[in-house]
Amino acid sequence: MRDVSHILRWAENNRSTISAVHILGVENWAADFLSCQCLASGEWELHPEVFQQICLCWGTSDVDLIASRLNTKVPNFIARSQDPQAIRADALISPWHRFHFPYVFPPLPLRPKVIRRIKMEGDSFDPSRPRPAMSRMDKVVLRPSPSFLPKVVSSFYLNEDIILPSFCPQPRHGVEKALHTLDVAFKEYTSDDMNVAPEDRVWVRGWFPILFELSCIINRCKLDVRTRGLTVMFEVMKTYGHTFEKHWWQDLFRIVFRIFDNMKLPEQQTEKAEWMTTTCNHALYAICDVFTQYFEVLSDVLLDDIFSQLYWCVQQDNEQLARSGTNCLENVVILNGEKFTLEIWDKTGNCMLDIFKTTIPHALLTWKPAAGEIDPSTEKQLDSISQKSVDIHDSIQPRTADGRRSTQPGITSVANEDFYLIRSGARFPEQKLFSALLIKCVVQLELIQTIDNIVFFPATSKKEDAENLAAAQRDAVHFDVHVDTQDQGMYRFLTSQQLFKLLDCLLESHRFAKAFNSNNEQRTALWKAGFKGKSKPNLLKQETSSLACGLRILFRMYMDESRKSAWDEVQQRLLNVCSEALSYFLTLASESHREAWTNLLLLFLTKVLKISDERFKAHASFYYPLLCETIQFDLIPELRAILRRFFHRIGLVFKISLPPDLDQDRSGQSAEATDFKSTEEDIRRLSSQENL
């Protein structure tokens, strides 16, 4: 405070104005150095005496690969993050072959990665091999070939290094900058190429430096600059990727995946949300596009990493990025599924299963308000509001006409909108929890739609529902719902066990939504706490869409001649799932809830009516008492028409009634007999009148 008062007095006496000015961290490194005169946690160093003994035995190193300005053993070092005194940042992605004799003493957590990097470098990481040149910060040292003989042949001149000085290390005007640029270029291109395979020199000297610098721009600059950098980087990959080797792609995607590194994301919540919604979202779609374009080359190299990255995206508290993760998963599978092997399909199914399990919002059923959290007057006010429930998924970004999601990153996320729908009476931890739960609900519904689109092709299910409704409206006795695009899906490439795995995911999601919708007390508690606006929340879309997708899969397998070995299991699953669904429908007290099941019941009854008579007997005996109970509800005309058709077929299959054509013949015969009797009576009456 004393120094501040002196500064203020000086400013007042000199009639000067003091204002705060931001200095970039790169330019303000001196202040950072003075404030960081201690080792960060996790850093360590080798004892100086031990290091000196190593240097006496093996020679002096030219760079310390993993160090900081406080514990580096040599002038040149690579820091963990950006440091003005370091020659580079992040040794695990920096090219080691440029250094003559590197030294590394990594912390314990980094040792496995360093060992893998040394194995990957192979022969190029051999310090015993001679180097023709070595770049320093201030000079270039040329090592003459052993066959070179100087004018004076002596041991001194034979072992003497040829040192080229640096031109203008600190340029001040245009001419010096030009000389300095030439000097930097000379250092770059006179460094060692002997340890690089000839076929890799284009990558090491050309593509890798360009793409690495683009990644640095993406990770450091503002939104408009890094967006342009992303575009350029992936355009380079798409245009020239056909010339890249497999191990080049591995090096490249180590750089690309740094965009999603949590340690490199901004600390502030608003900046982190912007980074995820814009840069991460853009990069995710671009990665999937490049993977699709070069699938034959990249499937063995990057598939596991891409699935891991998609899984990471749906785990973040960012609704836009989470939806993009499921959308990219759908695009990758639909565009490349025909080329998948059984092993890749297993990996895909496991990825979906992991996403399903980790995004089920279990806290919706277990959350309880703190004691005295809701004011009694507020509770009375809430009770006076309409109790009409609202679907948690109602504000989800709609899909396009073909069933795909819209992918514009600029659209405001659902979770962010709903975050502000939470009333101001809710505490911040609860707001954060509710926002995370909303994102999980979104991911669940999006993943259900993803499975439906993957198995049956986008928009196929919607067309089928429309055809079912139209057939019921026509009340057609003989109908066949045919969708032209049903064979474009990935159904034919999936094994029965893989389909059953997806079915288990769908049914688990359906049962959770059903449990939540049935728990009126919990929904009321969440509603009064401010979750999802002014009405009680529900998961009707998740409840119905998950079951509808599961029924489509089961009935498709049930009618598939190539899956006869699985028919018994499919039939048993169908009987259990359908009877459970009908029993639940009979317990629904809300008319709006029953209306949400309209398309589902139409789908179920239509599919059952299309199976053979022998199979129909087994299903009808299970569903008959349950369907009889549904008549008590006020159903729409389409459902009543298809129920009439169902009961009419029960009479025919179980031989309770005659077919329509036999009924018409019988009615015709009885009419002819009646006419014959009336004719005889008329003849008798006329003859009696003549006798009189």
Side-chain angles (χ1 to χ4, degrees):
M1 294 297 296
R2 185 179 302 173
D3 294 336
V4 174
S5 62
H6 285 311
I7 293 173
L8 292 176
R9 290 196 194 98
W10 177 88
E12 184 178 0
N13 294 333
N14 291 273
R15 297 181 179 180
S16 300
T17 303
I18 299 176
S19 60
V21 178
H22 172 69
I23 301 176
L24 295 176
V26 177
E27 300 176 0
N28 198 27
W29 63 269
D32 293 342
F33 176 78
L34 293 174
S35 63
C36 299
Q37 292 296 323
C38 60
L39 287 175
S41 59
E43 290 192 2
W44 62 1
E45 61 178 321
L46 193 63
H47 195 278
E49 294 182 1
V50 178
F51 179 75
Q52 291 299 327
Q53 293 177 3
I54 293 175
C55 292
L56 291 175
C57 180
W58 294 96
T60 303
S61 174
D62 60 334
V63 63
D64 194 341
L65 292 179
I66 300 178
S68 66
R69 65 180 73 175
L70 300 178
N71 63 3
T72 180
K73 298 300 182 183
V74 293
N76 298 329
F77 68 94
I78 298 179
R80 182 174 58 181
S81 58
Q82 295 298 324
D83 190 324
Q85 296 184 9
I87 61 174
R88 284 183 179 273
D90 200 341
L92 294 179
I93 65 170
S94 298
W96 291 5
H97 61 272
R98 297 186 177 185
F99 308 116
H100 170 61
F101 191 38
Y103 161 79
V104 60
F105 188 62
L108 283 175
L110 292 180
R111 285 190 177 183
K113 295 183 178 180
V114 172
I115 293 173
R116 286 196 299 268
R117 180 62 188 273
I118 293 174
K119 291 180 178 179
M120 182 184 69
E121 291 285 336
D123 294 337
S124 63
F125 192 64
D126 184 3
S128 63
R129 299 183 63 180
R131 293 169 55 92
M134 182 169 57
S135 299
R136 300 290 191 181
M137 292 296 294
D138 58 343
K139 59 188 176 182
V140 176
V141 179
L142 298 181
R143 298 293 179 87
S145 172
S147 61
F148 170 76
L149 293 178
K151 290 184 178 181
V152 180
V153 181
S154 66
S155 59
F156 174 80
Y157 287 105
L158 286 174
N159 297 322
E160 184 70 10
D161 293 335
I162 301 174
I163 299 176
L164 299 179
S166 288
F167 302 107
C168 307
Q170 296 179 349
R172 290 170 293 181
H173 52 77
V175 176
E176 291 186 355
K177 289 181 179 179
L179 292 173
H180 178 69
T181 303
L182 292 174
D183 178 54
V184 171
F186 181 76
K187 286 184 179 181
E188 182 70 21
Y189 287 99
T190 56
S191 59
D192 179 29
D193 272 342
M194 292 184 62
N195 295 329
V196 179
E199 61 272 13
D200 292 339
R201 290 179 183 176
V202 175
W203 172 251
V204 173
R205 294 296 173 202
W207 291 120
F208 185 84
I210 294 172
L211 296 171
F212 179 79
E213 290 303 324
L214 284 172
S215 72
C216 294
I217 292 173
I218 295 167
N219 288 317
R220 298 172 188 168
C221 297
K222 294 184 179 180
L223 175 60
D224 53 346
V225 180
R226 66 175 183 257
T227 301
R228 182 60 179 164
L230 265 174
T231 304
V232 173
M233 173 187 280
F234 285 100
E235 283 300 320
V236 169
M237 295 185 202
K238 294 175 183 178
T239 306
Y240 301 100
H242 64 279
T243 64
F244 291 0
E245 302 291 339
K246 277 190 177 182
H247 59 282
W248 297 6
W249 285 109
Q250 290 177 323
D251 295 340
L252 175 56
F253 273 90
R254 286 195 192 98
I255 299 173
V256 174
F257 286 137
R258 292 172 67 238
I259 298 172
F260 304 93
D261 191 352
N262 273 324
M263 299 299 295
K264 301 183 185 299
L265 293 179
E267 294 295 335
Q268 297 184 3
Q269 189 65 28
T270 55
E271 294 181 0
K272 185 175 181 179
E274 182 195 50
W275 181 276
M276 288 185 171
T277 306
T278 57
T279 305
C280 291
N281 191 59
H282 185 179
L284 192 64
Y285 282 100
I287 288 171
C288 294
D289 290 342
V290 172
F291 179 79
T292 300
Q293 183 174 347
Y294 300 107
F295 176 80
E296 289 78 7
V297 178
L298 300 181
S299 58
D300 297 335
V301 179
L302 295 172
L303 184 64
D304 293 338
D305 293 333
I306 287 180
F307 280 161
S308 299
Q309 202 61 61
L310 294 175
Y311 177 80
W312 176 86
C313 290
V314 300
Q315 303 301 315
Q316 305 308 304
D317 292 334
N318 185 281
E319 183 263 341
Q320 177 68 36
L321 187 61
R323 284 192 295 108
S324 297
T326 58
N327 191 16
C328 288
L329 177 62
E330 174 185 327
N331 293 340
V332 167
V333 177
I334 289 178
L335 296 175
N336 304 290
E338 296 181 358
K339 309 170 190 174
F340 280 10
T341 62
L342 289 178
E343 182 182 359
I344 295 179
W345 276 117
D346 287 335
K347 291 180 180 179
T348 305
N350 291 333
C351 179
M352 292 183 182
L353 181 62
D354 293 339
I355 295 175
F356 255 117
K357 288 184 176 180
T358 55
T359 57
I360 293 179
H362 293 288
L364 285 177
L365 294 175
T366 59
W367 179 86
K368 297 295 181 184
E373 181 179 324
I374 301 179
D375 186 60
S377 60
T378 305
E379 186 172 356
K380 292 180 181 179
Q381 182 181 1
L382 291 173
D383 288 335
S384 64
I385 301 175
S386 172
Q387 296 276 335
K388 183 179 179 181
S389 64
V390 59
D391 197 307
I392 294 176
H393 310 100
D394 278 346
S395 53
I396 285 182
Q397 178 181 330
R399 294 186 174 225
T400 56
D402 61 350
R404 302 287 185 94
R405 301 171 191 81
S406 179
T407 58
Q408 292 88 347
I411 296 178
T412 306
S413 64
V414 177
N416 291 338
E417 292 177 356
D418 290 328
F419 186 82
Y420 295 105
L421 288 175
I422 300 171
R423 283 183 289 275
S424 58
R427 297 179 299 175
F428 178 75
E430 292 175 350
Q431 292 177 346
K432 189 174 181 180
L433 173 63
F434 289 168
S435 179
L437 291 175
L438 283 169
I439 293 173
K440 289 187 175 182
C441 294
V442 169
V443 173
Q444 282 284 300
L445 187 64
E446 292 294 296
L447 197 57
I448 292 168
Q449 189 63 52
T450 293
I451 292 178
D452 191 276
N453 288 347
I454 288 174
V455 178
F456 300 109
F457 197 75
T460 301
S461 298
K462 290 184 178 180
K463 292 179 181 178
E464 186 178 12
D465 288 339
E467 289 290 337
N468 290 337
L469 184 61
Q473 289 173 347
R474 294 192 304 267
D475 194 14
V477 177
H478 301 288
F479 64 95
D480 183 19
V481 178
H482 177 70
V483 182
D484 294 335
T485 57
Q486 63 180 358
D487 291 333
Q488 297 183 28
M490 298 295 112
Y491 168 83
R492 62 190 186 276
F493 299 105
L494 291 163
T495 65
S496 298
Q497 294 304 317
Q498 290 165 348
L499 289 171
F500 285 145
K501 182 181 293 187
L502 296 178
L503 178 66
D504 292 336
C505 295
L506 294 168
L507 293 180
E508 184 178 359
S509 180
H510 165 72
R511 292 187 178 107
F512 173 83
K514 187 169 63 175
F516 178 75
N517 293 334
S518 301
N519 194 338
N520 191 61
E521 180 180 355
Q522 180 69 11
R523 291 168 55 212
T524 303
L526 288 168
W527 168 59
K528 290 182 178 180
F531 181 74
K532 197 62 176 82
K534 298 181 180 180
S535 301
K536 287 192 295 185
N538 64 64
L539 295 172
L540 289 183
K541 290 183 180 178
Q542 180 177 333
E543 175 186 289
T544 55
S545 61
S546 57
L547 182 57
C549 185
L551 289 178
R552 286 189 176 93
I553 292 175
L554 285 174
F555 277 108
R556 181 73 181 274
M557 297 177 68
Y558 204 37
M559 305 294 288
D560 191 350
E561 293 289 337
S562 64
R563 301 185 189 269
K564 288 184 177 181
S565 59
W567 276 357
D568 292 339
E569 184 177 357
V570 171
Q571 177 169 313
Q572 189 59 44
R573 284 175 176 260
L574 269 175
L575 293 173
N576 294 335
V577 170
C578 295
S579 58
E580 179 184 345
L582 289 174
S583 300
Y584 174 70
F585 178 77
L586 294 176
T587 63
L588 300 181
S590 170
E591 183 178 354
S592 60
H593 199 164
R594 290 195 297 269
E595 289 178 357
W597 276 62
T598 298
N599 286 336
L600 190 57
L601 291 177
L602 284 173
L603 173 68
F604 157 67
L605 292 171
T606 302
K607 294 291 187 181
V608 172
L609 285 173
K610 292 171 67 175
I611 61 180
S612 63
D613 289 347
E614 191 64 28
R615 288 177 169 179
F616 183 82
K617 287 182 179 180
H619 287 268
S621 59
F622 255 72
Y623 312 143
Y624 179 77
L626 298 172
L627 291 175
C628 288
E629 296 295 328
T630 60
I631 301 176
Q632 63 181 318
F633 298 121
D634 185 16
L635 303 176
I636 64 174
E638 290 82 5
L639 271 179
R640 292 201 301 268
I642 201 167
L643 275 174
R644 179 186 63 80
R645 196 179 307 143
F646 184 89
F647 286 118
H648 181 69
R649 187 175 180 187
I650 288 178
L652 297 178
V653 171
F654 288 92
K655 299 180 180 180
I656 301 174
S657 62
L658 293 176
D661 52 353
L662 294 181
D663 284 344
Q664 292 176 3
D665 293 342
R666 177 181 295 178
S667 61
Q669 292 175 1
S670 59
E672 290 176 359
T674 304
D675 293 340
F676 180 74
K677 290 180 180 179
S678 61
T679 302
E680 287 184 345
E681 291 177 356
D682 292 339
I683 293 172
R684 289 175 184 173
R685 186 167 51 256
L686 291 173
S687 61
S688 61
Q689 290 177 359
E690 290 176 356
N691 294 331
L692 292 173

